[in-house]
Amino acid sequence: MQTSTQLSEIYTSEAGAVYQCDRRNRLLVQFSGELVELKLDTFLRLKKAVDSINLEQMAVNPHRSSDFEIISVCGCDRCFVLTLPELHDFKELLSEARFMMELNSMLHECFSSQLA
């Protein structure tokens, strides 16, 4: 027996994509050639961790240790090791995906209230 997984595209950019899998109730984040499956709360923790990184401070810091950032969140089995340009792209990807999820939720609420 073979089942196909239905993925809905949430947001796509040159850097990656975020998809929603309704069957498994997960988000799939494609970035740097890898695909990571996350629950919604883990996605939000990851976004919060990435948002907390000060890219400007990282850019002006002369120490070699500031050339990359290691990001790990509870509920995600992947550890992200990202350079400044990768962090910029990843931050944008996660932010835009979150915005699209909020927009879809608002539209769903508006349409549902009009039908009721």
Side-chain angles (χ1 to χ4, degrees):
M1 184 173 188
Q2 189 178 30
T3 59
S4 64
T5 303
Q6 289 287 43
L7 297 179
S8 302
E9 181 181 298
I10 294 175
Y11 181 78
T12 301
S13 71
E14 289 184 18
V18 178
Y19 302 97
Q20 178 177 328
C21 176
D22 292 331
R23 187 175 151 272
R24 295 183 44 90
N25 199 25
R26 300 282 191 270
L27 296 173
L28 291 112
V29 178
Q30 179 185 4
F31 186 77
S32 292
E34 293 194 34
L35 188 65
V36 179
E37 186 176 316
L38 304 170
K39 290 182 179 180
L40 178 61
D41 61 330
T42 305
F43 173 85
L44 295 174
R45 279 195 299 273
L46 178 60
K47 183 184 176 315
K48 184 176 180 180
V50 171
D51 286 346
S52 71
I53 299 168
N54 186 333
L55 298 180
E56 291 82 15
Q57 186 180 29
M58 190 175 170
V60 298
N61 191 330
H63 296 98
R64 293 204 62 188
S65 62
S66 69
D67 289 346
F68 62 92
E69 190 72 36
I70 300 171
I71 305 162
S72 178
V73 293
C74 182
C76 181
D77 59 354
R78 182 166 187 283
C79 179
F80 296 88
V81 180
L82 303 172
T83 63
L84 179 61
E86 290 171 329
L87 272 168
H88 177 270
D89 292 343
F90 197 47
K91 184 180 265 195
E92 179 182 317
L93 177 68
L94 297 179
S95 293
E96 294 298 325
R98 175 69 175 140
F99 172 77
M100 292 305 293
M101 287 188 288
E102 289 176 8
L103 180 61
N104 286 337
S105 178
M106 288 172 32
L107 289 173
H108 181 72
E109 286 179 25
C110 287
F111 289 131
S112 295
S113 67
Q114 288 181 354
L115 294 175

